[in-house]
Every structure is written in C-alpha cells, then in structure tokens.
Amino acid sequence: MSVTAAEGFVASGLHAGIKKSRPDMALLATDDGARVTCAAVFTQNLFCAPPVQLDRELLAASGGTASAVIVNSGNANAGTGAAGLADAKAMGAAAAAAMGIAAGKVLVCSTGIIGTPLPMDVILPAIPTLASQRSRDGGAAAAQGILTTDHRPKEAVIRGDGWTLGGMAKGCGMIAPNMATMLAFLTTDAAVPRETLQAMLKAASDRTFNTLNVDGATSTNDTAMVFASGRKGAPGDLDGFGRALEQVCRDLTMLMAKDAEGMTKIAHLTVIGAASEGEARIAAKAIAENNLVKCSWYGSDPYWGRLLAAAGSAGVAMDVERTAVSYGGIRVAEGGVGIPHDAQALTEHMLGEEFSIEVALGVGSASARVIGIDLGPGYIKENSVTS
Amino acid sequence: MSVTAAEGFVASGLHAGIKKSRPDMALLATDDGARVTCAAVFTQNLFCAPPVQLDRELLAASGGTASAVIVNSGNANAGTGAAGLADAKAMGAAAAAAMGIAAGKVLVCSTGIIGTPLPMDVILPAIPTLASQRSRDGGAAAAQGILTTDHRPKEAVIRGDGWTLGGMAKGCGMIAPNMATMLAFLTTDAAVPRETLQAMLKAASDRTFNTLNVDGATSTNDTAMVFASGRKGAPGDLDGFGRALEQVCRDLTMLMAKDAEGMTKIAHLTVIGAASEGEARIAAKAIAENNLVKCSWYGSDPYWGRLLAAAGSAGVAMDVERTAVSYGGIRVAEGGVGIPHDAQALTEHMLGEEFSIEVALGVGSASARVIGIDLGPGYIKENSVTS
C-alpha cells in the first residue's frame, strides 16, 4: 500500500477488459475528495498523448492542484487526435462523477499501444466500481492496474520525521518497449509548497527516471506526479524531504531497470572529464544507446573500444590521449590504448547482473550518470509485434 | 575484377594468418607504381584509428596522390596508440619496398577488432607474396581479402564513354557490427582533377554510404577512396562521370545493406516536410536508429505510432496535426491519427525484404533519405562477443 502509505490517500485497481485478463485500471484519490497540491513532469515528446495534453491543461488551470488521477493500461490513447482528447476528458469526468467531486479535478493517464482508440465501452462501465472500491488498502491493487508488459509491480515508501512519502510506478525504460510509457505516482502527507514540490520532482526526475535508458526512446505518455495532502504539516527538514523524494524516485527507477524488457544486465555508466555537463550527458546517452555497446553488455564482454568509439562519434569534445576506461574500478584502457589489468577480477565483475563503467573524456571536469540496459534476444522477442 | 576493371590498376589478396582461414590481406596498386590522383573520405569519429591518421597525413603531404593501398582485415589497428601508428607506417613501408616504389606513396587501411595490436609477425612476412601476386586478374582476390564478418564480396563496375569506373567494398553498415568498419576502394582510368574527384566522392558518399544506418554507430576506421589513373583522358561528360561515381557507390551501399549483420529487412525511409535538410536528416536518423522501430521492421509490423514517437523526440520541429505516414505509398496515418487503408496491400508490402516508408513532419519542405536495417536476433548473436 505504498501509494496510500501517506495519510489522506485512497486507491483501487481492477480488470475492466482493456487487456485480456490482467488488471488494467487504477484510481488514486484524496480520501475526502479535496484538492491537494500536485506537482508533475511529463514527456518532452512532441507527439505526446491526449491525456498528457489534458493533464497539463488541468494543472495549469487549477494552479497545480488535483483530487485524483485515473489510469488505464493496455492502451496509450496516443495517436488518437481530437477524439482521443475527448475520450480522456470523458474518462476523467466519469471518475469525478463517480466520486462526487468537481469535474476538472481528476487527472488522467493512459499507457499501452499507440494509435488505437480507447475502448470507452469497457472503460466507462468500470469506473463506478473502481471508485467504490477505493480505500487505504487499495494501493497494491492500483500498483497492479497501471502495469503493461511489466513483470512485477513497483512500489517504494520512505518515512521521515512525522511524514510519509510513497509511490508506485510502471515501465521498462524511457519507453516501455511494446507499450509506450513510464508512469510514476507519488503521495505524501507532508505539506510542501507547490513550487518547491515541482522543483524537487523535476530535480529528482532528472537524477533518477531520466537517467534510465532502456532503448533511447522517449515515450508519448511519460508522466511522474506527486500529490501532497499536507495532513502532517511542513517537514522539519525540507532538504531531507527532498532527498527522500529523490530516493523514492531512485528506488522506483531501479525497479523499472530490473524489469526492463529482455534485460539481463544493468550498467551504471558514468562519463567524467567532459567539457560540460551537457556534453557529459550527450556522451553517456550515446554510449548507453549504442547497440554494439549494449550487445557487448549482454555478452558480459568488457569491449572498451566500443565505448570510446561511441563517445568519439557523439559530437562532443574528447581528447583520445587523455581518455580512460574502467569497469568496476578496474582501469582497462588509458590514452585510447588497452593497458594490463586484473583480467580475472574484471571477468568476475562483468558476470554480475549489475556492473559499473567509467569513461573519462579527458577534456574537462564535468560528469553525468546513466543507467543502461543490455540488448539481448528478449527485447526483440517482445517488440517485433505490436501486442 | 571490378577494382582492376579500369586501366592502370593491379590487385591481389591472400590469407596471411590474422584470421584463422579466410583471406585477410589485400593490395591495390597502379600497374607501374606511379602516383595517381587519389581522393578519399574518412570516418568523422574522434577515436579514429592510426591507419586513418596516417592516410590523412600522406594524402595531405602528397597533394592527393598515391600509388597503392594495402589493407588488412581481422584487426582494425584502432585503440592502439603510437605503437599502432608505427605499425601502420611499417606496413605501408614494407609494401612500398616489396613493390620497389617510394615510401610514403602507399596508403594503409585496417578493419577488424579494436584494441588489439596488429599481428606484425604474420603481416610483414606476407607482404612480399602479396606484392608479387598483384595483377589485373587479382581484383576478386582483393575483394575477398578486405572482408571481415561480411558474407559476400562486394564489387561494382560502370563503363562510360571511353572510361571505366570500378570498386570494391566491405562492411555491414556505418560500423560493421563485430568488426569496425566500412571500407570502399574505387578505381578509374578517367583523368579527373583531384579537387573535382574529391568533391564528387564527398557528394556521392553523403548520398550513398552515409545514408546507410545499420546501428547508428560511426566506425573508427571508415574509409572510401578513389584512384584515377587518367589513362583514358578526361571524360567527355564530366557530370556523367560524377553520376557514375555515385551509382557505383550506391551499388556498393546496397550490397552492404543486404549483407548487414542479422539483417532480414531493408527500409528505404524518407522524411519529408522538415524545416530544413539538417532537421530532416536528424529525424530520419532518429527513426532509423530507434530500436522499437527496428524491431517492428523485423516483425514486418507497420507500427506507424513508433515512427512518429521517434520523430517527436528527435529534437526537430514537427506539427503533429500536419504529419503523415505511408508504407509503400499506402497512407496509414494523417494528423497523428490512424486512417482507413488497404490492409491487405500493406501487409504484402511489409512482407518484402525491402520496403519504403515516408514520414511527413508537416512543418516545411526539406527532406532526407536513409536506408535502415531491422533489428533481429542475428544482430545480437553476432555482437555479444568480441570475435
């Protein structure tokens, strides 16, 4: 019940029939229907889905407050145009009506296949049941209802000095392979001003969700939001609350990484020595998205030449003579040339499910981190057909 | 004998022992050892290999002329630093000595694994034999000697009004998966001024080799060069010669595409309606490198939503309301929404080994083309271990 661990929230989840048999709808709401502070970050994709457009509008109109969010999985309601926006509005309005709260206070999220109209004939009839089942115990059901190709629900909770912060997420990367989308919903009973909460969520997302790179693709529906009921008052240590927010986001990120489609290896990649933080991020992204690099991770092969080849074509400054590459702290190349190293220790490090890699570009002092996923047959198997 | 089809060239190829059993060395030279005009384009990767550095220096020093190029496959001599540069120089010097021509007139290319020193103990002893076997009939052997993981040799030839233009290539994309590199060697007996030849090769490469995108990776060793012996004098129709040069490059490009590792489908992707040609290229590259798109190609799945999702996150201007997507001329989406279409005809088009895709961004009139390759299990199988 992590998403309802904080005081003031209820949730529910059920199978409406969008998917064959797995849960496909979820509701998260304040226990009294009142609006509370809500901060959110959305996909930067220009081809964003109607529910993302709707939520942006609703939050702008409400000054960053909301009473609930209704979610469906199995269909992203993306590539559906004006009809899709009308469907999203109808879904939110039906949820508001079922809970007896004002329309326009219910946010809407969808995740699943792109380009197919939402099956409103199964969604609308399920909403009254979904609303009636909402409770403090419903967090686990909600965490199930938002999943698409995920193998496991993803929940995290942290308790601070008086306040609680909890969350649930779904997704297998920046874009969850078959189905588009990473979604994360957090709740807290701490009272945090909206601007502060928004800044904290943005910073935490950049350092956690946005460092996960399964396949370089940015979803049409990515959304992370945090609701703050304020029931427990302002945190005594606001910075501590910010760190907790980042930690919950990090926990959810690692749960997504470990559930990435076809994943067998997770690479914690750090690029150092870049001319700027922007260039460090570009290089880290280029390396983590390079299919030759990803295949070598799948094969537990410390092929450092591919890392430098990927960095060298990333369009950022690099001084080959000053480069260095390490796996698990074991330096394997310097100045663009292989050097003697403990091959046995290296092999052992690479056989783990998670390994760390550091690439030094040799031109400055900026750095960036990214969580990369290997590329194995499982990914292809899950993505060569639409559903 | 395509690379020796033009008058004035000889070639040879043999197995030196860098690879277990397949041919791994080749030599292409003028038949009299004289320097001739040589234009070349090289990888833009900052982590470029010592032989690329050497050839750039030699061509700059010689005013764009050379007598020969010696090539080895199985080892890229990349990530080998100062020792690698010395090895490349020694390889070229040995070839020059064996042919009795001036040192510094022999270019050097290497292709294969990165980060391992060139096995000079097997390369140097093979060079006298390689030189003694060079002949007009040796083109086919040379075309074999430059291959790495290629399944087939790649040759093309065009005969013009008096002149002949021929070439050979190796590679499975911008970076040939296991082994780094795309290499192409062209010869002609036409007399074409160096600056003109260089400009023609650059333009032809941009329109052919550089449109092939197997995995988005830019090799450490990519090289294309054309030697012009001038034996047949200046072409009567210089523009016609330029078109022939582009056609030979295009033929070699398609031979590489059809031999791409793990390839089962080739997508001829055109992005239209972009704000600028640069943005069109960025969008086309983003789509062709998107693993979700590539997996859908493998599955013959016309999942247009993934194309727009890839374009929408490419960082270029796109007006969703004015977008359109077609497969094989069959319009499947307009304004970001699916539209009725001939599903039977679409399925038939997608089942072919090659299919065409057009994505309209809806903001301008610029366009770009790219040849994309699907992502299937074969690619992973060939790239999860170093060799």
Side-chain angles (χ1 to χ4, degrees):
Chain A
M1 46 160 260
S2 56
V3 83
T4 50
E7 200 169 311
F9 297 95
V10 290
S12 56
L14 52 68
H15 173 247
I18 308 166
K19 295 190 290 194
K20 264 190 191 154
S21 56
R22 294 180 66 188
D24 50 22
M25 288 194 75
L27 179 67
L28 168 65
T30 54
D31 58 7
D32 56 3
R35 293 185 300 154
V36 297
T37 298
C38 178
V41 291
F42 298 100
T43 180
Q44 295 303 304
N45 199 316
L46 297 181
F47 183 54
C48 72
V52 169
Q53 297 170 37
L54 176 63
D55 290 354
R56 282 186 174 129
E57 287 167 20
L58 292 177
L59 285 170
S62 70
T65 63
S67 298
V69 56
I70 184 166
V71 190
N72 78 276
S73 57
N75 185 311
N77 192 12
T80 46
L85 188 58
D87 284 347
K89 284 179 181 171
M91 190 170 148
M99 292 187 286
I101 61 176
K105 306 305 173 212
V106 180
L107 304 175
V108 179
C109 289
S110 296
T111 174
I113 59 169
I114 301 175
T116 302
L118 266 191
M120 297 302 283
D121 58 326
V122 299
I123 288 175
L124 291 179
I127 289 177
T129 309
L130 190 65
S132 70
Q133 291 180 349
R134 69 191 192 277
S135 74
R136 189 98 194 248
D137 294 333
Q144 289 282 353
I146 64 175
L147 304 180
T148 53
T149 53
D150 305 61
H151 303 92
R152 292 175 288 277
K154 296 160 184 70
E155 299 179 280
V157 63
I158 286 183
R159 297 188 194 277
D161 57 332
W163 50 263
T164 296
L165 174 69
M168 63 179 182
K170 64 90 32 181
C172 310
M174 282 196 183
I175 193 164
N178 256 329
M179 311 289 177
T181 308
M182 181 217 94
L183 296 179
F185 304 96
L186 281 67
T187 56
T188 182
D189 41 26
V192 182
R194 186 172 61 86
E195 290 74 15
T196 306
L197 197 61
Q198 181 70 33
M200 283 177 169
L201 179 63
K202 175 72 171 64
S205 294
D206 282 345
R207 285 196 289 264
T208 59
F209 300 133
N210 292 342
T211 66
L212 177 60
N213 195 322
V214 172
D215 51 17
T218 304
S219 156
T220 51
N221 296 54
D222 282 350
T223 300
M225 48 178 67
V226 52
F227 293 80
S229 71
R231 297 284 174 88
K232 300 289 189 175
D237 173 11
L238 192 60
D239 289 343
F241 177 82
R243 286 192 297 274
L245 184 66
E246 182 173 328
Q247 188 57 48
V248 167
C249 292
R250 192 179 306 285
D251 290 348
L252 293 172
T253 299
M254 284 311 297
L255 288 170
M256 288 191 281
K258 290 180 179 176
D259 202 18
E261 294 204 25
M263 185 286 291
T264 71
K265 300 280 180 179
I266 296 173
H268 296 274
L269 171 68
T270 307
V271 168
I272 66 170
S276 68
E277 198 183 315
E279 292 208 351
R281 275 200 298 266
I282 290 170
K285 182 174 155 72
I287 294 170
E289 293 177 7
N290 186 288
N291 280 353
L292 291 173
V293 168
K294 289 160 71 82
C295 283
S296 68
W297 290 345
Y298 172 70
S300 300
D301 181 9
Y303 197 167
W304 60 268
R306 286 185 182 165
L307 301 173
L308 288 184
S313 58
V316 304
M318 176 172 110
D319 181 349
V320 174
E321 300 296 315
R322 292 166 178 275
T323 57
V325 179
S326 302
Y327 291 83
I330 302 163
R331 182 72 62 94
V332 298
E334 275 179 5
V337 181
I339 59 169
H341 57 267
D342 185 340
Q344 179 64 28
L346 179 61
T347 299
E348 281 166 17
H349 182 68
M350 296 301 291
L351 287 176
E353 184 181 84
E354 297 185 42
F355 44 73
S356 65
I357 299 175
E358 187 181 88
V359 176
L361 301 183
V363 290
S365 58
S367 65
R369 300 192 59 157
V370 62
I371 300 168
I373 305 293
D374 68 330
L375 176 60
Y379 181 87
I380 292 172
K381 191 175 174 194
E382 301 209 45
N383 287 296
S384 53
V385 290
T386 298
S387 57
Chain B
M1 47 161 257
S2 57
V3 83
T4 50
E7 200 169 312
F9 296 95
V10 290
S12 56
L14 53 67
H15 173 248
I18 307 167
K19 296 191 288 194
K20 263 189 192 156
S21 56
R22 293 180 68 188
D24 50 23
M25 288 194 76
L27 179 67
L28 168 65
T30 54
D31 58 7
D32 56 4
R35 293 185 298 155
V36 296
T37 297
C38 177
V41 291
F42 299 100
T43 179
Q44 295 302 304
N45 198 314
L46 296 181
F47 183 53
C48 72
V52 169
Q53 298 171 37
L54 176 64
D55 290 354
R56 282 187 173 129
E57 287 168 18
L58 291 178
L59 285 170
S62 70
T65 62
S67 297
V69 55
I70 184 166
V71 190
N72 78 275
S73 57
N75 185 311
N77 192 11
T80 47
L85 188 58
D87 284 345
K89 284 179 180 171
M91 192 171 147
M99 292 187 287
I101 61 176
K105 304 307 172 211
V106 180
L107 304 176
V108 178
C109 289
S110 296
T111 174
I113 60 169
I114 301 174
T116 302
L118 266 191
M120 296 303 282
D121 57 326
V122 299
I123 288 176
L124 291 179
I127 289 177
T129 310
L130 189 66
S132 70
Q133 291 179 349
R134 71 192 192 276
S135 73
R136 190 98 194 247
D137 292 333
Q144 289 281 355
I146 64 175
L147 304 180
T148 53
T149 52
D150 305 60
H151 303 92
R152 291 176 288 277
K154 297 161 183 70
E155 299 178 280
V157 62
I158 286 184
R159 297 186 195 278
D161 57 332
W163 49 263
T164 295
L165 174 69
M168 63 179 183
K170 65 88 34 179
C172 310
M174 281 195 182
I175 193 165
N178 257 329
M179 312 286 176
T181 309
M182 182 216 93
L183 296 178
F185 303 96
L186 282 69
T187 57
T188 183
D189 40 28
V192 182
R194 185 171 61 86
E195 290 75 13
T196 306
L197 196 63
Q198 181 70 33
M200 283 177 170
L201 179 64
K202 174 72 171 63
S205 295
D206 282 345
R207 285 196 289 265
T208 59
F209 301 132
N210 292 342
T211 66
L212 177 60
N213 194 322
V214 172
D215 51 18
T218 303
S219 154
T220 51
N221 295 54
D222 282 350
T223 300
M225 50 178 67
V226 51
F227 293 80
S229 71
R231 298 283 173 88
K232 299 289 189 173
D237 173 10
L238 192 61
D239 289 343
F241 176 81
R243 286 192 297 274
L245 184 66
E246 182 172 327
Q247 187 57 49
V248 167
C249 291
R250 191 178 307 286
D251 290 347
L252 293 173
T253 299
M254 284 311 296
L255 288 170
M256 287 191 282
K258 289 181 179 175
D259 201 17
E261 294 203 27
M263 184 284 292
T264 71
K265 301 280 181 179
I266 296 172
H268 295 275
L269 171 68
T270 307
V271 168
I272 66 170
S276 68
E277 197 182 313
E279 291 208 351
R281 275 199 297 266
I282 290 170
K285 181 175 156 72
I287 295 169
E289 294 178 6
N290 186 288
N291 280 353
L292 291 173
V293 169
K294 290 161 71 81
C295 283
S296 68
W297 290 346
Y298 172 69
S300 300
D301 182 9
Y303 197 167
W304 60 268
R306 286 185 182 166
L307 300 174
L308 288 184
S313 58
V316 304
M318 175 170 110
D319 181 350
V320 174
E321 300 296 314
R322 292 166 177 272
T323 57
V325 179
S326 302
Y327 290 83
I330 303 163
R331 181 72 60 96
V332 298
E334 275 178 5
V337 182
I339 59 170
H341 57 268
D342 185 340
Q344 178 65 28
L346 178 61
T347 299
E348 282 167 15
H349 182 68
M350 297 300 293
L351 287 177
E353 183 180 86
E354 296 184 42
F355 44 73
S356 65
I357 299 174
E358 188 182 87
V359 176
L361 301 183
V363 290
S365 57
S367 65
R369 300 191 58 154
V370 63
I371 300 168
I373 306 293
D374 67 330
L375 176 60
Y379 181 88
I380 292 171
K381 190 175 174 194
E382 301 209 46
N383 287 296
S384 53
V385 289
T386 299
S387 56

